[in-house]
Amino acid sequence: MSPSTSLLDEGKSYGPAGSSLKLIDLFCGAGGLSLGFASRFQSVWAVDNDEAAVQTYRENFGSHCQHGDIVSILESESHQIPNADVVIGGPPCQGFSLLNKGKEGDPRRHLWIPFLEVVQLCGADLFVMENVPQLLGTPEHKAIGDQARQVGFVVRHAKLLAADYGVPQTRTRAFIIGCRFADPACVFPPKRTHVNPKLDKINPNDYVSNPKPWRTVRDVIADLPVPCDTEIGPEPPLDLHFGRNPTALSLDRYRAIPEEGMNRENLLRAAPGLTPNCWVNKRGGTDLFGRLWWDRPAVTIRTEFFKPEKGRYLHPVQDRPITHREAARFQTFPDNFRFIGSKIAIAKQIGNAVPPDLASAVAEAVYSLLLQRLRV
């Protein structure tokens, strides 16, 4: 497998899969979840209120993606929800984020309600809800489970580490699965396909036989050249492999921390005169302005990965932040997946997405459950 190859792009189409199993994707974004489910399920309806993300979804999956607010759509008498076997989606999660602690009234915390309404309206026997790990254990988590059980679902949840499923990134996400006809615990959480090579001992029951080592930064971006442009290009993979125009001060800061793994604390020790006062005074996060390591997975890719002051987003050896193409590869989007929008809009789509290879592992668990239904 080449560095630019996802587990999902070996001769695979990203449009309807021709499957008899139907899928609805709510809060779909660019389609990371749908891409992970594409080998087993046909997407028949998708919804998002981000216009650029909807254009990206349509470009890759078809015209059935609707731009709009799910609450307003459900309130409209004219709209018909198509039948589906599975509903997937990630209700906007900022309300559960550590950055939003104390905002109990955040309406984004309650978008699971229309999600479950669609599950009922489309007749789905399964649903998969994805969110930040902070959701688990909250009153909203309990309410989701209680409501789903009241209408006949058995509900399970788990935190999944993306690196354990072939994603070169230490991103952790929460998944809640509900099933009407079986206990999801028989297949969920899915067995891990990759293992941290630093572990001395593992529980073999948690892994597939002969798991592969975690994929690393080197594995997926080492083949890319030094970016030589600052704008979106015409052809992949270099279309999204563009740099920025850093100030002289920014370049001096990058050069002051030349070794992989260094971060703002190394900058303070090496070049206190180049260090912002807020970092001198120890305010803000600690793992900022850091270089990635070649032989480890990347950190969690967020929507502003192109700003090194927002996280560990500097290239391991080059004096620059990571590019959009590198971020997309860390998320396991294939190079031929087509993103639509401005540079900022595309970064938002990449950072907000569920890594498709992680979604694929969940999709296999869901498919296994549906096979059980067919055997009954």
Side-chain angles (χ1 to χ4, degrees):
M1 189 177 296
S2 71
S4 61
T5 300
S6 163
L7 298 176
L8 295 170
D9 73 346
E10 294 178 337
K12 194 167 293 180
S13 169
Y14 308 126
S19 171
S20 62
L21 296 171
K22 308 302 183 186
L23 178 81
I24 287 174
D25 191 346
L26 304 178
F27 315 101
C28 62
L33 266 176
S34 282
L35 184 53
F37 277 74
S39 66
R40 299 294 192 185
F41 298 87
Q42 179 186 4
S43 175
V44 295
W45 190 48
V47 179
D48 201 274
N49 64 1
D50 183 315
E51 187 170 1
V54 167
Q55 292 300 321
T56 292
Y57 195 100
R58 290 172 178 169
E59 180 74 13
N60 292 279
F61 300 99
S63 61
H64 58 278
C65 185
Q66 184 170 352
H67 176 229
D69 170 65
I70 187 62
V71 175
S72 299
I73 291 171
L74 290 174
E75 289 174 347
S76 171
E77 295 181 359
S78 62
H79 191 81
Q80 296 290 321
I81 307 295
N83 293 332
D85 298 280
V86 182
V87 177
I88 62 176
C93 60
Q94 290 89 343
F96 300 107
S97 170
L98 290 173
L99 300 176
N100 285 272
K101 270 191 168 183
K103 295 186 179 180
E104 295 298 328
D106 193 327
R108 293 169 297 189
R109 299 174 74 94
H110 306 297
L111 286 174
W112 60 268
I113 296 174
F115 180 100
L116 290 180
E117 185 176 347
V118 171
V119 172
Q120 286 289 89
L121 290 170
C122 75
D125 283 334
L126 274 152
F127 71 82
V128 177
M129 191 180 298
E130 175 271 345
N131 217 296
V132 292
Q134 289 80 17
L135 167 64
L136 301 183
T138 64
E140 286 76 16
H141 176 210
K142 182 179 184 301
I144 292 166
D146 290 346
Q147 180 64 33
R149 282 186 281 269
Q150 285 178 15
V151 293
F153 286 89
V154 180
V155 183
R156 299 293 179 183
H157 68 269
K159 292 181 185 179
L160 302 184
L161 176 60
D164 289 337
Y165 299 93
V167 179
Q169 184 186 161
T170 55
R171 186 188 197 100
T172 301
R173 303 300 287 180
F175 287 85
I176 301 172
I177 290 187
C179 182
R180 290 187 190 273
F181 56 85
D183 186 342
C186 64
V187 296
F188 182 82
K191 288 185 179 293
R192 303 167 192 174
T193 58
H194 293 67
V195 62
N196 182 351
K198 294 183 178 180
L199 291 179
D200 295 326
K201 187 177 181 182
I202 64 170
N203 182 350
N205 294 327
D206 295 337
Y207 293 84
V208 300
S209 58
N210 300 314
K212 299 176 181 178
W214 277 359
R215 299 175 74 203
T216 68
V217 168
R218 189 188 303 275
D219 290 336
V220 295
I221 71 166
D223 66 309
L224 290 169
V226 176
C228 59
D229 204 344
T230 58
E231 299 299 328
I232 298 173
E235 298 293 336
L238 302 185
D239 54 340
L240 298 184
H241 192 54
F242 51 83
R244 302 184 74 195
N245 288 309
T247 64
L249 176 59
S250 292
L251 277 174
D252 286 342
R253 288 171 174 165
Y254 303 160
R255 292 164 180 159
I257 50 169
E259 298 177 19
E260 59 184 278
M262 286 183 164
N263 63 14
R264 73 166 203 175
E265 294 176 346
N266 299 100
L267 177 65
L268 177 60
R269 287 193 289 269
L274 298 176
T275 305
N277 288 333
C278 60
W279 292 354
V280 172
N281 298 327
K282 300 291 186 182
R283 292 197 300 271
T286 57
D287 199 21
L288 304 176
F289 209 78
R291 289 190 183 273
L292 294 166
W293 290 271
W294 270 127
D295 296 314
R296 300 185 193 181
V299 298
T300 298
I301 299 301
R302 297 186 174 90
T303 58
E304 293 187 301
F305 56 79
F306 51 90
K307 296 180 180 180
E309 65 272 17
K310 297 289 186 177
R312 186 175 288 279
Y313 297 139
L314 288 173
H315 190 276
V317 293
Q318 296 173 25
D319 294 327
R320 61 172 179 83
I322 59 174
T323 67
H324 285 49
R325 172 57 63 208
E326 289 164 335
R329 286 188 177 184
F330 293 145
Q331 284 280 63
T332 64
F333 278 102
D335 286 352
N336 60 359
F337 189 90
R338 298 173 295 279
F339 288 95
I340 306 299
S342 67
K343 290 187 284 188
I344 291 176
I346 292 173
K348 181 180 177 183
Q349 294 170 46
I350 293 170
N352 280 336
V354 178
D357 285 9
L358 174 60
S360 181
V362 177
E364 288 302 311
V366 171
Y367 183 68
S368 295
L369 281 172
L370 287 168
L371 289 180
Q372 291 186 25
R373 182 185 64 178
L374 295 174
R375 295 190 189 107
V376 175

